[in-house]
Amino acid sequence: MESIVNDYISREIVQNQEVLPLSNDTSLLRGGILDSLSLLRLVVFLEERFKLTVDEIDLLPENFDSVNAICAYLRAREPGRQEPARG
Amino acid sequence: MGESRAERLLRSAEGVAYWAAVAPAVACLPAALGYRIACWRGDWEFRYRHRKRAELVRNLRQLLGDDLGPDDADRLAREWFRLASCNAIDVMRLRYRARPLRRLVEIRGREHLEAALAGGKGAIVCSAHFGSFDSAFSLLGASGFPVTTIGRWQHNYTVGLSPAERRFWDLVYARRLRRHRHRPNIEPWAGRVGVAAQAATILHANEVVTISIDAPPLDGDLGRTVDVPFLGRRAGLLPGAVTLAQVTGAPLLMAFMHRTPDYGHQVLEISAPVPMAGDTPTAFARCADEVSAAIRRSPAHWAYWASGGDLARLGVLNTDADRSPAAEPTPAPPVEPTVKPILLAEREFAHDGPADNVAARG
């Protein structure tokens, strides 16, 4: 899961190539990699790729600040663990 | 020369009195008389607000070219003040489900918006800080469309306003507009990364998102602007509305509300969906072109003429050469910019009407 998310962000979202290769614990928000619109593109990708719906209330920096945080959020949304991650 | 403390206080008091007492009372009069009184107030401001008037005239002449003579620029500046005063009456006429304002506004192209919503992906209605745009968004809401606006309430972000002042502008201005909007404004700001996703959620619910695309970018957004032709120059604008349309598949329509020569009546024109073919800058340039064309048709309707700082931040006015009263036929030597872009925190609050997003109106 980490590699899928990391690949997508590295390929589609990162504009400054100097941050590549992207570490899974790099802060995407503090590093300016993720902004509002790129987060939307990422959410659309995650919803399609992992067949889930990201709730508006889950759009917290804590859930999307790094590849690791995103994957932790996704795992919390896996079937049988539907309690949304609130960060 | 700067404005003295006494002048500033007097202007503030006049603005507060107009919004709190005069405009609500005048909005209860027959429309012809009410808007006539608003025009008198606009004429009074034109006569006595020398600095703002001079800035308006200067900016109009710089950007609209030498074809605009001094008399024309003066006429447009007077018109600008009149429209600003009339816009306050529009806000007050949003009472009673906005019927008093709806009676005065003809909506053209409503079928485009209905057809867009029939597609099930919501609709993005783009406008500019043009005319009574805030009332236009609320009017759409009052006309049966579930409208949510992406835009900042200026009084919430201007540094230096007291809590009482913020509360005042919320009561006399924002509350009246908000009443007809389906959800609270989505207010973009540094660190609010969920803004676009919030808007996408609204579009997924097949609702309408409105946005003014001509706002000067904040510092943190400067790297995300795209350079587009605008009023015969190049402007750096944020293409977020187009990106949102491309990601969600929602149709994007343009809308502008023009005031007719009698000042009381208005026409809200909604376009057919703008083609989103091509990359984001190409598609966004089409939208910016529509804004540019609307401003050229009715220059006095555009809010930003009064703020050289905002025009500088947009990138359309940025050097000493731009500030000289007449165009120079010979190239001017390179100079440091003297029209400083205004940061929101430094912005003087507009006491005769706060517009949302970052417009300083009046």
Side-chain angles (χ1 to χ4, degrees), chain A:
Chain A
M1 183 184 282
E2 276 79 0
S3 64
I4 294 170
V5 175
N6 193 321
D7 282 353
Y8 177 79
I9 294 172
S10 301
R11 196 177 61 249
E12 300 290 340
I13 291 179
V14 168
Q15 292 183 331
N16 178 6
Q17 300 298 311
E18 288 175 11
V19 304
L20 298 176
L22 190 66
S23 153
N24 285 348
D25 54 12
T26 298
S27 171
L28 303 173
L29 300 173
R30 280 197 304 276
I33 296 168
L34 212 54
D35 61 21
S36 172
L37 288 161
S38 52
L39 175 63
L40 171 61
R41 298 211 314 266
L42 175 63
V43 166
V44 170
F45 167 77
L46 296 174
E47 288 183 337
E48 286 176 0
R49 180 68 179 75
F50 298 104
K51 308 286 182 234
L52 52 80
T53 302
V54 176
D55 292 337
E56 197 180 322
I57 52 171
D58 291 339
L59 292 169
L60 302 171
E62 304 91 286
N63 291 337
F64 291 89
D65 192 39
S66 66
V67 172
N68 283 336
I70 294 167
C71 293
Y73 168 72
L74 294 176
R75 289 196 180 93
R77 298 297 310 273
E78 280 174 355
R81 302 176 65 178
Q82 281 296 313
E83 188 61 30
R86 302 280 185 248

Side-chain angles (χ1 to χ4, degrees), chain B residues 181-234:
Chain B
R181 296 183 185 173
H182 197 59
R183 306 174 194 234
N185 273 22
I186 299 173
E187 303 193 49
W189 194 249
R192 290 187 190 161
V193 291
V195 164
Q198 260 182 289
T201 303
I202 291 168
L203 293 170
H204 285 152
N206 202 28
E207 296 174 14
V208 179
V209 167
T210 64
I211 184 168
S212 295
I213 60 170
D214 60 341
L218 299 173
D219 278 350
D221 292 330
L222 285 171
R224 298 193 298 110
T225 59
V226 298
D227 195 37
V228 289
F230 192 74
L231 293 174
R233 302 197 177 192
R234 309 287 300 184

Side-chain angles (χ1 to χ4, degrees), chain B residues 27 29 31 35 89-107 135 138-144 176 179-180 264-266:
Chain B
L29 299 173
Y35 285 97
I89 309 299
D90 294 340
V91 174
M92 303 304 158
R93 292 184 72 97
L94 285 168
R95 66 186 187 276
Y96 309 133
R97 299 185 181 209
R99 275 195 301 270
L101 185 61
R102 282 161 64 192
R103 278 200 296 269
L104 301 174
V105 178
E106 177 192 352
I107 301 179
S135 295
S138 292
L139 193 77
L140 280 178
S143 303
R176 290 182 162 97
R179 190 179 298 151
H180 304 289
H265 293 85
Q266 298 182 80

Side-chain angles (χ1 to χ4, degrees), chain B residues 138-191:
Chain B
S138 292
L139 193 77
L140 280 178
S143 303
F145 296 103
V147 165
T148 302
T149 295
I150 301 177
R152 289 178 286 274
W153 298 112
Q154 188 194 333
H155 55 273
N156 286 340
Y157 296 87
T158 308
V159 171
L161 286 190
S162 67
E165 285 174 298
R166 292 185 204 284
R167 181 81 183 127
F168 171 79
W169 288 111
D170 192 69
L171 279 173
V172 301
Y173 182 73
R175 187 183 53 134
R176 290 182 162 97
L177 294 161
R178 212 164 39 220
R179 190 179 298 151
H180 304 289
R181 296 183 185 173
H182 197 59
R183 306 174 194 234
N185 273 22
I186 299 173
E187 303 193 49
W189 194 249

